[in-house]
PDB file of all heavy atoms in Angstrom:
ATOM      1  N   GLU B   5      97.456  24.078 133.111  1.00  0.00           N
ATOM      2  CA  GLU B   5      96.930  24.725 134.299  1.00  0.00           C
ATOM      3  C   GLU B   5      96.390  23.669 135.276  1.00  0.00           C
ATOM      4  O   GLU B   5      96.612  23.751 136.498  1.00  0.00           O
ATOM      5  CB  GLU B   5      95.830  25.720 133.939  1.00  0.00           C
ATOM      6  CG  GLU B   5      96.387  27.034 133.349  1.00  0.00           C
ATOM      7  CD  GLU B   5      96.647  26.891 131.861  1.00  0.00           C
ATOM      8  OE1 GLU B   5      96.360  25.816 131.234  1.00  0.00           O
ATOM      9  OE2 GLU B   5      97.167  27.808 131.230  1.00  0.00           O
ATOM     10  N   ALA B  10      97.002  20.766 140.414  1.00  0.00           N
ATOM     11  CA  ALA B  10      96.975  19.440 141.134  1.00  0.00           C
ATOM     12  C   ALA B  10      98.315  19.196 141.801  1.00  0.00           C
ATOM     13  O   ALA B  10      98.393  18.597 142.835  1.00  0.00           O
ATOM     14  CB  ALA B  10      96.640  18.366 140.125  1.00  0.00           C
ATOM     15  N   ARG B  16     105.029  23.114 146.402  1.00  0.00           N
ATOM     16  CA  ARG B  16     105.327  23.968 147.481  1.00  0.00           C
ATOM     17  C   ARG B  16     106.313  23.321 148.485  1.00  0.00           C
ATOM     18  O   ARG B  16     107.282  23.907 148.968  1.00  0.00           O
ATOM     19  CB  ARG B  16     103.977  24.308 148.269  1.00  0.00           C
ATOM     20  CG  ARG B  16     104.168  25.260 149.424  1.00  0.00           C
ATOM     21  CD  ARG B  16     102.863  25.494 150.132  1.00  0.00           C
ATOM     22  NE  ARG B  16     101.921  26.244 149.213  1.00  0.00           N
ATOM     23  CZ  ARG B  16     101.998  27.558 149.058  1.00  0.00           C
ATOM     24  NH1 ARG B  16     102.840  28.335 149.776  1.00  0.00           N
ATOM     25  NH2 ARG B  16     101.111  28.117 148.332  1.00  0.00           N
ATOM     26  N   ARG B  24     114.248  26.462 152.730  1.00  0.00           N
ATOM     27  CA  ARG B  24     114.237  26.428 154.201  1.00  0.00           C
ATOM     28  C   ARG B  24     113.790  27.749 154.849  1.00  0.00           C
ATOM     29  O   ARG B  24     114.197  28.106 155.891  1.00  0.00           O
ATOM     30  CB  ARG B  24     115.640  26.173 154.722  1.00  0.00           C
ATOM     31  CG  ARG B  24     116.133  24.696 154.399  1.00  0.00           C
ATOM     32  CD  ARG B  24     117.475  24.464 154.944  1.00  0.00           C
ATOM     33  NE  ARG B  24     118.509  25.293 154.283  1.00  0.00           N
ATOM     34  CZ  ARG B  24     119.759  25.280 154.609  1.00  0.00           C
ATOM     35  NH1 ARG B  24     120.179  24.581 155.661  1.00  0.00           N
ATOM     36  NH2 ARG B  24     120.692  26.000 153.977  1.00  0.00           N
ATOM     37  N   GLY B  28     110.984  33.104 151.871  1.00  0.00           N
ATOM     38  CA  GLY B  28     111.711  32.864 150.620  1.00  0.00           C
ATOM     39  C   GLY B  28     110.948  31.841 149.764  1.00  0.00           C
ATOM     40  O   GLY B  28     110.993  31.875 148.549  1.00  0.00           O
ATOM     41  N   THR B  29     110.223  30.982 150.452  1.00  0.00           N
ATOM     42  CA  THR B  29     109.427  29.954 149.714  1.00  0.00           C
ATOM     43  C   THR B  29     108.364  30.624 148.844  1.00  0.00           C
ATOM     44  O   THR B  29     108.264  30.259 147.718  1.00  0.00           O
ATOM     45  CB  THR B  29     108.819  29.000 150.760  1.00  0.00           C
ATOM     46  OG1 THR B  29     109.746  28.338 151.500  1.00  0.00           O
ATOM     47  CG2 THR B  29     107.923  28.009 150.019  1.00  0.00           C
ATOM     48  N   ASP B  31     108.262  33.647 147.730  1.00  0.00           N
ATOM     49  CA  ASP B  31     108.913  34.463 146.666  1.00  0.00           C
ATOM     50  C   ASP B  31     109.299  33.445 145.459  1.00  0.00           C
ATOM     51  O   ASP B  31     109.066  33.723 144.323  1.00  0.00           O
ATOM     52  CB  ASP B  31     110.089  35.238 147.139  1.00  0.00           C
ATOM     53  CG  ASP B  31     109.702  36.393 148.037  1.00  0.00           C
ATOM     54  OD1 ASP B  31     108.451  36.723 147.998  1.00  0.00           O
ATOM     55  OD2 ASP B  31     110.594  36.925 148.751  1.00  0.00           O
ATOM     56  N   GLN B  34     106.344  31.891 143.591  1.00  0.00           N
ATOM     57  CA  GLN B  34     105.736  32.860 142.668  1.00  0.00           C
ATOM     58  C   GLN B  34     106.653  32.959 141.481  1.00  0.00           C
ATOM     59  O   GLN B  34     106.129  32.979 140.345  1.00  0.00           O
ATOM     60  CB  GLN B  34     105.448  34.196 143.398  1.00  0.00           C
ATOM     61  CG  GLN B  34     104.341  34.091 144.333  1.00  0.00           C
ATOM     62  CD  GLN B  34     104.135  35.435 145.075  1.00  0.00           C
ATOM     63  OE1 GLN B  34     104.507  36.477 144.558  1.00  0.00           O
ATOM     64  NE2 GLN B  34     103.509  35.378 146.223  1.00  0.00           N
ATOM     65  N   TYR B  41     104.932  29.477 133.662  1.00  0.00           N
ATOM     66  CA  TYR B  41     103.856  29.894 132.771  1.00  0.00           C
ATOM     67  C   TYR B  41     104.426  30.535 131.493  1.00  0.00           C
ATOM     68  O   TYR B  41     103.948  30.223 130.403  1.00  0.00           O
ATOM     69  CB  TYR B  41     102.973  30.918 133.510  1.00  0.00           C
ATOM     70  CG  TYR B  41     101.694  31.153 132.768  1.00  0.00           C
ATOM     71  CD1 TYR B  41     100.641  30.208 132.740  1.00  0.00           C
ATOM     72  CD2 TYR B  41     101.522  32.335 131.986  1.00  0.00           C
ATOM     73  CE1 TYR B  41      99.456  30.481 132.030  1.00  0.00           C
ATOM     74  CE2 TYR B  41     100.399  32.579 131.217  1.00  0.00           C
ATOM     75  CZ  TYR B  41      99.355  31.648 131.292  1.00  0.00           C
ATOM     76  OH  TYR B  41      98.208  31.781 130.582  1.00  0.00           O
ATOM     77  N   ALA B  61     112.746  25.877 139.676  1.00  0.00           N
ATOM     78  CA  ALA B  61     112.927  26.505 140.952  1.00  0.00           C
ATOM     79  C   ALA B  61     114.360  26.501 141.400  1.00  0.00           C
ATOM     80  O   ALA B  61     114.944  27.529 141.900  1.00  0.00           O
ATOM     81  CB  ALA B  61     112.068  25.829 141.996  1.00  0.00           C
ATOM     82  N   LEU B  64     116.336  29.157 139.479  1.00  0.00           N
ATOM     83  CA  LEU B  64     116.098  30.429 139.967  1.00  0.00           C
ATOM     84  C   LEU B  64     116.765  30.635 141.319  1.00  0.00           C
ATOM     85  O   LEU B  64     117.262  31.731 141.637  1.00  0.00           O
ATOM     86  CB  LEU B  64     114.560  30.659 140.178  1.00  0.00           C
ATOM     87  CG  LEU B  64     113.774  30.751 138.853  1.00  0.00           C
ATOM     88  CD1 LEU B  64     112.248  30.750 139.115  1.00  0.00           C
ATOM     89  CD2 LEU B  64     114.102  31.999 138.062  1.00  0.00           C
ATOM     90  N   ASN B  67     120.362  31.358 140.978  1.00  0.00           N
ATOM     91  CA  ASN B  67     120.579  32.772 140.538  1.00  0.00           C
ATOM     92  C   ASN B  67     120.398  33.758 141.623  1.00  0.00           C
ATOM     93  O   ASN B  67     121.128  34.720 141.752  1.00  0.00           O
ATOM     94  CB  ASN B  67     119.616  33.081 139.312  1.00  0.00           C
ATOM     95  CG  ASN B  67     120.045  32.381 138.091  1.00  0.00           C
ATOM     96  OD1 ASN B  67     121.186  31.969 137.904  1.00  0.00           O
ATOM     97  ND2 ASN B  67     119.083  32.183 137.124  1.00  0.00           N
ATOM     98  N   GLN B  68     119.328  33.565 142.422  1.00  0.00           N
ATOM     99  CA  GLN B  68     119.027  34.449 143.498  1.00  0.00           C
ATOM    100  C   GLN B  68     120.173  34.435 144.499  1.00  0.00           C
ATOM    101  O   GLN B  68     120.640  35.496 144.965  1.00  0.00           O
ATOM    102  CB  GLN B  68     117.771  34.099 144.210  1.00  0.00           C
ATOM    103  CG  GLN B  68     116.490  34.353 143.424  1.00  0.00           C
ATOM    104  CD  GLN B  68     115.289  33.829 144.092  1.00  0.00           C
ATOM    105  OE1 GLN B  68     115.358  33.033 145.123  1.00  0.00           O
ATOM    106  NE2 GLN B  68     114.095  34.097 143.521  1.00  0.00           N
ATOM    107  N   ARG B  74     126.807  37.987 145.767  1.00  0.00           N
ATOM    108  CA  ARG B  74     127.680  38.941 145.133  1.00  0.00           C
ATOM    109  C   ARG B  74     127.394  40.346 145.796  1.00  0.00           C
ATOM    110  O   ARG B  74     128.405  41.073 146.163  1.00  0.00           O
ATOM    111  CB  ARG B  74     127.286  39.093 143.614  1.00  0.00           C
ATOM    112  CG  ARG B  74     128.136  40.147 142.908  1.00  0.00           C
ATOM    113  CD  ARG B  74     127.540  40.592 141.635  1.00  0.00           C
ATOM    114  NE  ARG B  74     127.994  39.630 140.584  1.00  0.00           N
ATOM    115  CZ  ARG B  74     127.981  39.863 139.296  1.00  0.00           C
ATOM    116  NH1 ARG B  74     127.481  41.028 138.844  1.00  0.00           N
ATOM    117  NH2 ARG B  74     128.332  39.030 138.400  1.00  0.00           N
ATOM    118  N   GLN B  83     133.081  47.575 153.147  1.00  0.00           N
ATOM    119  CA  GLN B  83     133.109  47.885 154.593  1.00  0.00           C
ATOM    120  C   GLN B  83     134.451  47.570 155.204  1.00  0.00           C
ATOM    121  O   GLN B  83     134.912  48.236 156.116  1.00  0.00           O
ATOM    122  CB  GLN B  83     131.978  47.157 155.298  1.00  0.00           C
ATOM    123  CG  GLN B  83     130.643  47.782 155.058  1.00  0.00           C
ATOM    124  CD  GLN B  83     129.479  46.846 155.349  1.00  0.00           C
ATOM    125  OE1 GLN B  83     129.750  45.711 155.942  1.00  0.00           O
ATOM    126  NE2 GLN B  83     128.268  47.233 155.131  1.00  0.00           N
ATOM    127  N   ASP B  96     145.029  57.771 153.329  1.00  0.00           N
ATOM    128  CA  ASP B  96     144.557  56.995 154.591  1.00  0.00           C
ATOM    129  C   ASP B  96     143.971  55.652 154.104  1.00  0.00           C
ATOM    130  O   ASP B  96     143.365  55.034 154.898  1.00  0.00           O
ATOM    131  CB  ASP B  96     143.554  57.811 155.335  1.00  0.00           C
ATOM    132  CG  ASP B  96     142.285  58.125 154.529  1.00  0.00           C
ATOM    133  OD1 ASP B  96     142.262  57.717 153.380  1.00  0.00           O
ATOM    134  OD2 ASP B  96     141.408  58.741 155.096  1.00  0.00           O
ATOM    135  N   ASP B 106     128.333  54.067 143.522  1.00  0.00           N
ATOM    136  CA  ASP B 106     127.344  55.115 143.613  1.00  0.00           C
ATOM    137  C   ASP B 106     127.265  55.918 142.333  1.00  0.00           C
ATOM    138  O   ASP B 106     126.242  56.213 141.750  1.00  0.00           O
ATOM    139  CB  ASP B 106     127.703  56.075 144.756  1.00  0.00           C
ATOM    140  CG  ASP B 106     126.631  57.128 144.916  1.00  0.00           C
ATOM    141  OD1 ASP B 106     125.478  56.808 145.137  1.00  0.00           O
ATOM    142  OD2 ASP B 106     127.011  58.317 144.871  1.00  0.00           O
ATOM    143  N   GLU B 114     122.380  51.664 130.098  1.00  0.00           N
ATOM    144  CA  GLU B 114     122.910  51.009 128.850  1.00  0.00           C
ATOM    145  C   GLU B 114     124.406  51.199 128.776  1.00  0.00           C
ATOM    146  O   GLU B 114     125.142  50.275 128.287  1.00  0.00           O
ATOM    147  CB  GLU B 114     122.180  51.608 127.626  1.00  0.00           C
ATOM    148  CG  GLU B 114     120.708  51.167 127.539  1.00  0.00           C
ATOM    149  CD  GLU B 114     120.036  51.677 126.327  1.00  0.00           C
ATOM    150  OE1 GLU B 114     120.587  52.610 125.720  1.00  0.00           O
ATOM    151  OE2 GLU B 114     118.977  51.191 126.054  1.00  0.00           O
ATOM    152  N   ALA B 115     124.885  52.397 129.175  1.00  0.00           N
ATOM    153  CA  ALA B 115     126.336  52.647 129.153  1.00  0.00           C
ATOM    154  C   ALA B 115     127.019  51.805 130.140  1.00  0.00           C
ATOM    155  O   ALA B 115     128.091  51.253 129.891  1.00  0.00           O
ATOM    156  CB  ALA B 115     126.571  54.086 129.408  1.00  0.00           C
ATOM    157  N   VAL B 124     134.389  44.300 132.751  1.00  0.00           N
ATOM    158  CA  VAL B 124     134.297  43.186 133.793  1.00  0.00           C
ATOM    159  C   VAL B 124     134.293  41.878 133.169  1.00  0.00           C
ATOM    160  O   VAL B 124     135.032  40.919 133.547  1.00  0.00           O
ATOM    161  CB  VAL B 124     133.057  43.437 134.658  1.00  0.00           C
ATOM    162  CG1 VAL B 124     132.875  42.261 135.625  1.00  0.00           C
ATOM    163  CG2 VAL B 124     133.006  44.755 135.356  1.00  0.00           C
ATOM    164  N   GLU B 125     133.525  41.707 132.064  1.00  0.00           N
ATOM    165  CA  GLU B 125     133.389  40.360 131.451  1.00  0.00           C
ATOM    166  C   GLU B 125     134.484  40.142 130.434  1.00  0.00           C
ATOM    167  O   GLU B 125     134.772  39.047 129.975  1.00  0.00           O
ATOM    168  CB  GLU B 125     132.084  40.227 130.731  1.00  0.00           C
ATOM    169  CG  GLU B 125     130.840  40.458 131.617  1.00  0.00           C
ATOM    170  CD  GLU B 125     130.627  39.328 132.585  1.00  0.00           C
ATOM    171  OE1 GLU B 125     131.106  38.237 132.385  1.00  0.00           O
ATOM    172  OE2 GLU B 125     129.994  39.617 133.589  1.00  0.00           O
ATOM    173  N   ARG B 144     132.057  51.748 122.146  1.00  0.00           N
ATOM    174  CA  ARG B 144     133.317  52.397 122.391  1.00  0.00           C
ATOM    175  C   ARG B 144     133.096  53.742 123.233  1.00  0.00           C
ATOM    176  O   ARG B 144     133.757  54.017 124.174  1.00  0.00           O
ATOM    177  CB  ARG B 144     133.995  52.753 121.088  1.00  0.00           C
ATOM    178  CG  ARG B 144     135.319  53.558 121.219  1.00  0.00           C
ATOM    179  CD  ARG B 144     136.014  53.624 119.884  1.00  0.00           C
ATOM    180  NE  ARG B 144     136.790  54.871 119.771  1.00  0.00           N
ATOM    181  CZ  ARG B 144     137.938  54.908 119.111  1.00  0.00           C
ATOM    182  NH1 ARG B 144     138.541  53.904 118.660  1.00  0.00           N
ATOM    183  NH2 ARG B 144     138.592  56.034 119.106  1.00  0.00           N
ATOM    184  N   ALA B 148     133.787  54.494 127.219  1.00  0.00           N
ATOM    185  CA  ALA B 148     134.662  55.599 127.594  1.00  0.00           C
ATOM    186  C   ALA B 148     133.926  56.535 128.567  1.00  0.00           C
ATOM    187  O   ALA B 148     134.562  57.117 129.492  1.00  0.00           O
ATOM    188  CB  ALA B 148     135.076  56.405 126.317  1.00  0.00           C
ATOM    189  N   VAL B 150     131.550  55.825 130.723  1.00  0.00           N
ATOM    190  CA  VAL B 150     131.515  55.260 132.121  1.00  0.00           C
ATOM    191  C   VAL B 150     132.931  55.275 132.770  1.00  0.00           C
ATOM    192  O   VAL B 150     133.160  55.571 133.903  1.00  0.00           O
ATOM    193  CB  VAL B 150     131.012  53.840 132.052  1.00  0.00           C
ATOM    194  CG1 VAL B 150     131.013  53.184 133.485  1.00  0.00           C
ATOM    195  CG2 VAL B 150     129.515  53.889 131.581  1.00  0.00           C
ATOM    196  N   VAL B 157     136.125  59.840 139.695  1.00  0.00           N
ATOM    197  CA  VAL B 157     135.967  59.483 141.104  1.00  0.00           C
ATOM    198  C   VAL B 157     137.314  59.106 141.773  1.00  0.00           C
ATOM    199  O   VAL B 157     137.671  59.602 142.825  1.00  0.00           O
ATOM    200  CB  VAL B 157     135.065  58.192 141.247  1.00  0.00           C
ATOM    201  CG1 VAL B 157     135.047  57.726 142.740  1.00  0.00           C
ATOM    202  CG2 VAL B 157     133.596  58.539 140.914  1.00  0.00           C
TER     203      VAL B 157
END
Side-chain angles (χ1 to χ4, degrees):
Chain B
E5 288 80 4
R16 183 182 294 276
R24 291 182 291 176
T29 298
D31 289 345
Q34 287 177 22
Y41 191 76
L64 290 170
N67 287 339
Q68 288 172 353
R74 180 193 278 196
Q83 286 162 4
D96 65 357
D106 181 59
E114 290 181 344
V124 178
E125 304 289 338
R144 177 174 150 140
V150 175
V157 170

